[in-house]
Amino acid sequence: LRGPSNTAYKIEHVRQSIILRRITRPKARVAVYCAGVLPYFSGRDMIDFLGKNDKVIARQKSHESTMNGKSIDFRPGHTKWDLAYSIGRLQPDVVTELWGLPGEADPYLKKNYKKVVIDGFTFYLRRGSESVAWEEARRYL
């Protein structure tokens, strides 16, 4: 038997989930592109950038099917996002996994978030959030 697809990637998400549990409090909301392993193992509420779990995003028009300036194949569920809404309006406590669109997030992240890299994973923590375990996160600032 072959193992499940993307096993190494999923293992990384489990590691990332453990970090999220460490640097956040239970009521934290985390913005992600991969809304499967991270919410399951972190136990935190998620804001789904791609709208598979968000009616506002799901009802928007699709973006052109490109990633990092290159055309990609048809990938349902991966062509809708609105960072002004997901980050600017919903104001998650943590943003992670910018998935090929980091420049688009800059206006929202630079204004209200502090970047921290933990064990090779990049997290953006919302300044002043009571749902961030700052005493733990400061070890990495």
Side-chain angles (χ1 to χ4, degrees):
L1 294 175
R2 265 186 308 144
S5 65
N6 299 318
T7 301
Y9 186 63
K10 290 175 173 87
I11 289 169
E12 292 298 298
H13 276 166
V14 172
R15 289 183 52 231
Q16 195 174 16
S17 298
I18 292 166
I19 295 167
L20 281 169
R21 287 182 68 89
R22 221 171 49 219
I23 65 170
T24 61
R25 294 189 177 26
K27 294 194 184 232
R29 293 179 315 137
V30 181
V32 299
Y33 282 98
C34 296
V37 173
L38 287 171
Y40 183 82
F41 284 102
S42 72
R44 303 303 186 247
D45 286 339
M46 297 289 157
I47 293 171
D48 177 11
F49 282 131
L50 297 177
K52 293 180 233 173
N53 298 299
D54 187 308
K55 290 177 185 177
V56 172
I57 303 294
R59 291 185 173 122
Q60 293 183 1
K61 289 187 177 187
S62 292
H63 291 265
E64 184 179 340
S65 294
T66 61
M67 184 185 300
N68 295 326
K70 297 179 182 179
S71 275
I72 60 172
D73 55 344
F74 179 63
R75 296 177 64 188
H78 291 81
T79 59
K80 295 181 181 183
W81 62 87
D82 181 350
L83 299 183
Y85 167 76
S86 298
I87 300 174
R89 182 169 168 208
L90 297 181
Q91 298 183 355
D93 301 293
V94 180
V95 174
T96 188
E97 295 192 316
L98 290 176
W99 185 67
L101 303 169
E104 191 174 333
D106 285 350
Y108 313 104
L109 297 177
K110 287 181 180 178
K111 182 178 179 184
N112 297 314
Y113 290 82
K114 179 71 178 162
K115 179 180 177 179
V116 60
V117 178
I118 303 172
D119 294 340
F121 299 107
T122 300
F123 301 93
Y124 296 87
L125 311 176
R126 187 166 50 85
R127 290 181 174 95
S129 172
E130 293 180 9
S131 292
V132 172
W134 290 104
E135 61 281 358
E136 182 67 25
R138 280 192 184 88
R139 296 175 45 205
Y140 305 99
L141 296 176

